[in-house]
Amino acid sequence: MDSPVDGETAHRARSAVSGARRRRPRLLLPVAVDAGSRRLRARSAVRLPLLLAGRAAGAVSDLPAAELSGRPEEWPAIAVVVPAYNEEGYVGDCIDSIRATTYPGPTSITVVDDGSTDDTYAEARAHAPEDATVIRTENRGKHAALNTALEHTTAPYIVSVDADSHVDADAFSQLIRRFFSYDDAGAVAGNIKVANRDSLVTSVQALEYIMGINTFRRAFDLVGTVTVVPGSLGAFRRDVLDDVGGYSGDTVTEDFDLTIDILRHGYSIRASTGIVYTEAPDTWRDLALQRRRWFHGNLQTLLKHRAVFTDSRYGLLHRVALPYVFLSMSVLPLLGVAILGLILLSLFTGGVGLLLQLAIFFVVLQVLLAVLAIQIEGEDLRLALFTPLTLFGYKQFLDGVLLWSLWALVRGERTWLRPARIRQRDKSDGSDGNGRTEHGESSRREP
């Protein structure tokens, strides 16, 4: 059904949920900083050396066992929220995948159409079950759509799913188990995989998700400081979302912003093996548009939470997590540009032989790391064939997009860029030909 929940009834239900959750500690600043840093310091004393030592396959491959140990005696109710903007051709499949999940507890679905100009709303209603809530609002942005969904849910756990994603059958169970393995967990990140791998650009992205995003997410899970709960699939305690004030529209990457906010309040954030499949851009132009917005939003988030860099009370968030994000978005790309310059210089100074030896060494090392990551993820080993591109070609492409994003941030640009959807490519989606939608910064954001 698409009618809103009665306001007074929803308020009483949320109050009851909040009261029930008071049995667990709720950490707010400034107490949250001190309490959170003590927990993070205690974990770091034991786990960080193991992380730095590698723990390799054994450390990250026993994540499912940890999830299994967190099986609750009674599965709690969850509310699945799906924000959607111009997702015709996708939102129906997304809802079907949610309905096909095997989560044992009560599950509700709330879909918010954020002012779409296509048939997203009709498609969502056609695929949603009778007891689902499907809402249509004016276009205000993804963060507003998510907050609207929260106003129509009362479950103690919220699961967010992007409308162009396809959720694995046991994904929700894997997410919720992690909360019962760690009492201080405020959120749990899903495991994103690229669904379309039929071209060079999408296959390289599939390898990037495995080697970069998911591997580092598993590593940060060891110390409870996962830095991004992705919009494609993530779970949150409802009382934690209330503590931080819900989703913010301060940046164009509301998932990264919310994650850092939760960590700053002293909660830990964990990773999960719950899988969600997403469609990756299949052209270099669309990939550049996607990453431009990602990088732009990440830089905005770092600026917003810059106090963390100088406040040691934030523990590992201060010492490891955010510095890593900052270095990966500043120093490493600049080093990449410098190394590329040295390579070009060596071509004219007779150092080609040494350069070739170094290139072979790093390619072999990267291939071995790729094979290890692929094995841990249980993925297709043929993806390792694309490993050289992560050092030569693809990396320089991403570095260039990052510099483009930095320049846009300096100029104060805030236009929301949206890659073309593959299934919608032959249809009009409101684009002006430069990747900008007619809704500007309020337009929807893909994962």
Side-chain angles (χ1 to χ4, degrees), residues 110-186:
T110 301
V111 182
V112 178
D113 176 10
D114 184 39
S116 297
T117 58
D118 60 7
D119 290 331
T120 295
Y121 180 73
E123 183 175 327
R125 290 198 60 184
H127 287 259
E130 292 184 359
D131 59 348
T133 301
V134 182
I135 307 167
R136 179 160 49 187
T137 67
E138 64 180 9
N139 181 249
R140 295 180 297 162
K142 183 178 180 181
H143 73 283
L146 287 164
N147 287 331
T148 298
L150 293 179
E151 293 173 0
H152 291 81
T153 60
T154 60
Y157 292 92
I158 306 297
V159 178
S160 64
V161 178
D162 277 345
D164 65 343
S165 301
H166 188 281
V167 182
D168 217 22
D170 68 341
F172 297 161
S173 300
Q174 300 290 358
L175 288 169
I176 299 303
R177 281 173 175 167
R178 298 294 280 167
F179 289 106
F180 291 86
S181 295
Y182 300 94
D183 287 339
D184 64 345

Side-chain angles (χ1 to χ4, degrees), residues 162 164-166 192-196 209 232 276-280 447:
D162 277 345
D164 65 343
S165 301
H166 188 281
I192 308 176
K193 294 183 180 292
V194 173
N196 53 320
Y209 273 66
S232 297
V276 62
Y277 294 93
T278 188
E279 178 186 273

Side-chain angles (χ1 to χ4, degrees), residues 79-110:
V80 183
V81 298
V82 183
Y85 173 79
N86 282 2
E87 298 291 357
E88 180 184 356
Y90 291 89
V91 68
D93 288 346
C94 175
I95 294 173
D96 290 343
S97 73
I98 293 172
R99 298 182 65 179
T101 56
T102 57
Y103 182 71
T107 305
S108 64
I109 302 174
T110 301

Side-chain angles (χ1 to χ4, degrees), residues 343-420:
I343 290 174
L344 295 176
L345 180 62
S346 67
L347 296 177
F348 299 97
T349 58
V352 177
L354 177 60
L355 176 64
L356 184 60
Q357 294 177 35
L358 290 174
I360 293 174
F361 170 78
F362 282 109
V363 167
V364 171
L365 180 61
Q366 191 80 340
V367 168
L368 292 176
L369 292 174
V371 170
L372 176 61
I374 290 170
Q375 291 280 33
I376 292 172
E377 287 280 326
E379 279 282 1
D380 188 351
L381 278 174
R382 289 176 296 182
L383 289 174
L385 296 174
F386 299 94
T387 304
L389 290 176
T390 63
L391 291 174
F392 308 106
Y394 187 69
K395 183 185 184 307
Q396 287 70 37
F397 169 81
L398 294 181
D399 290 345
V401 175
L402 176 58
L403 294 175
W404 177 26
S405 306
L406 182 59
W407 175 244
L409 183 65
V410 171
R411 294 181 59 186
E413 294 182 12
R414 194 180 163 87
T415 304
W416 206 303
L417 302 178
R418 175 184 171 91

